[in-house]
Structure formats: structure tokens, C-alpha cells
């Protein structure tokens, strides 16, 4: 299971993500901590998308904004 240790995500602050996608191999770091290292042969090509997969069960959080900054794409 790929999960970041408690305290890795900084709620209410900027977080740094590093995502490496080479063919079917995906690696993700959150604030310097590797959180995923997977192979997925179903998605070895496609589009890049930035999205939020949920903000918990608290309905008061619905409508919150997600911001991205300093995005760099390299090949």
C-alpha cells in the first residue's frame, strides 16, 4: 500500500508534488516523501490532468478551491 506518513501533507499550505511517468511506470513524491511507485499497463499513454480525488466526508469543504503553481513539464 502506498500512503504518506501522517504529517506529510500540509493542510492549508502549499505542498510539493513530484510526479514521474515513464510509459506504464508512475512514481509520486509528496513533500519529498515517495508515496507511490506503480506499474499500470492500462494507462501507458494518454493525457495529463490535474484533479482532486476528494476532500473527505466533511460537507462544509464542498466548493473549496484547489490551486496549482510553478508547474513544470519535462521530457
Amino acid at each position: 500500500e502506498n500512503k504518506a506518513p501522517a504529517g506529510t501533507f500540509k493542510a492549508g499550505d502549499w505542498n510539493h508534488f513530484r510526479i514521474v511517468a515513464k510509459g506504464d511506470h508512475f512514481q509520486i513524491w509528496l513533500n519529498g516523501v515517495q508515496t507511490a511507485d506503480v506499474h499500470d499497463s492500462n494507462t501507458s499513454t494518454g493525457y495529463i490532468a490535474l484533479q482532486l480525488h476528494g476532500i473527505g466526508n466533511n460537507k462544509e469543504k464542498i466548493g473549496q478551491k484547489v490551486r496549482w503553481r510553478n508547474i513544470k513539464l519535462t521530457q
Side-chain angles (χ1 to χ4, degrees):
E1 188 168 313
N2 295 312
K3 289 191 174 182
T8 303
F9 179 78
K10 299 181 283 185
D13 199 357
W14 290 104
N15 289 276
H16 179 263
F17 288 87
R18 178 174 184 235
I19 302 167
V20 176
K22 293 182 180 178
D24 72 344
H25 188 196
F26 300 90
Q27 296 172 292
I28 302 172
W29 291 262
L30 169 60
N31 296 322
V33 177
Q34 189 169 25
T35 59
D37 187 352
V38 298
H39 290 269
D40 182 354
S41 61
N42 290 325
T43 54
S44 61
T45 62
Y47 297 97
I48 295 172
L50 303 174
Q51 66 184 47
L52 178 65
H53 275 285
I55 51 175
N57 294 326
N58 188 341
K59 291 187 180 195
E60 293 176 11
K61 294 182 179 180
I62 293 174
Q64 281 192 347
K65 294 181 181 179
V66 176
R67 297 180 183 154
W68 307 91
R69 69 178 185 176
N70 302 326
I71 296 172
K72 298 176 187 173
L73 301 176
T74 59
Q75 187 173 356

